[in-house]
Amino acid sequence: MPQVTRRTVLTAGVAAAGVVVEPTIAVEAPATAAAKKPSLEMNVNGKVSRLGIDSRTTLLDALRDHLHLTGTKKGCDQGQCGACTVLVDAERVVSCLTLAVAAQGKRVQTIEGLAEPGGKLHPMQQAFIDQDAFQCGYCTPGQIMSAVACVAEGHAKTDEDIREYMSGNLCRCGAYPKIVAAIKQARGQMEQG
Ligand code: FES
Ligand code: FES
């Protein structure tokens, strides 16, 4: 008498139920992500670079992870804190919510590109130092880039304006009064220059 095992019972049961067991189908592996990465040309701080990156890459990740410009900070990564603020064609954007491809053909400026080539600090950078407008400094690159645009937009005429138009840049250290003082200091120099 043939030996009855768990396997033979299961096989018989499957056959009786009319279940057709499909052979395993070999699925061709998808092309590697690297092969699909488009080539992207970016002008950052006046230097043009060509990057092979996924089209879903944010501008923030392109700057930090691919161009190694780590001055731009990642805070919330959700568009809420302003730590990642950079300028695109002189307008401030939160780079965590901006795709790198959207910056193609435009001029991106980060905190690394603010000082003069000889190293002289931008008036806004100098003012943040003079006014001691930071504590931990994590929000500072975003604050400075936003402040530069705030003055250029003409939105730094009064303390109230500065607070309103800088409200997208949060500082968990609460350095706000000194940030306002720094912007007022730099405003005078920027308007003269
Ligand atoms: S990291 Fe972009 S807004 Fe917070
Ligand atoms: S200086 Fe610390 S978060 Fe602004």
Side-chain angles (χ1 to χ4, degrees):
M1 183 177 171
Q3 189 182 1
V4 177
T5 65
R6 187 166 178 275
R7 175 180 290 274
T8 55
V9 169
L10 284 174
T11 303
V14 168
V19 174
V20 177
V21 179
E22 295 286 348
T24 305
I25 299 171
V27 178
E28 193 182 338
T32 63
K36 289 186 172 178
K37 286 178 182 172
S39 182
L40 172 68
E41 198 171 273
M42 290 187 65
N43 180 339
V44 181
N45 300 327
K47 183 179 171 198
V48 177
S49 304
R50 186 165 284 281
L51 303 174
I53 56 177
D54 190 288
S55 56
R56 295 164 295 183
T57 306
T58 64
L59 178 56
L60 176 59
D61 288 342
L63 292 171
R64 289 183 56 85
D65 300 341
H66 298 273
L67 291 172
H68 309 295
L69 295 170
T70 55
T72 305
K73 302 303 182 202
K74 182 179 281 190
C76 63
D77 208 19
Q78 296 180 353
Q80 294 175 358
C81 73
C84 64
T85 304
V86 299
L87 306 186
V88 176
D89 280 351
E91 291 191 1
R92 43 187 164 171
V93 302
V94 280
S95 59
C96 68
L97 291 189
T98 304
L99 290 176
V101 290
Q104 273 200 109
K106 299 181 178 176
R107 291 171 296 111
V108 179
Q109 191 176 26
T110 70
I111 191 72
E112 290 91 346
L114 213 50
E116 293 178 10
K120 185 171 186 291
L121 294 181
H122 185 281
M124 193 63 75
Q125 291 174 302
Q126 190 59 56
F128 267 66
I129 293 170
D130 294 346
Q131 298 293 336
D132 200 18
F134 48 84
Q135 290 181 39
C136 77
Y138 197 81
C139 73
T140 307
Q143 299 278 4
I144 290 176
M145 298 310 292
S146 199
V148 167
C150 187
V151 172
E153 292 161 9
H155 288 145
K157 303 284 186 216
T158 65
D159 288 18
E160 290 70 30
D161 265 2
I162 293 172
R163 281 195 280 269
E164 173 66 22
Y165 286 95
M166 289 294 292
S167 61
N169 290 81
L170 306 183
C171 175
R172 64 185 170 186
C173 299
Y176 298 112
K178 293 184 174 182
I179 290 171
V180 172
I183 294 173
K184 284 161 54 179
Q185 175 183 318
R187 178 188 63 199
Q189 293 170 269
M190 288 174 67
E191 287 175 348
Q192 284 168 13

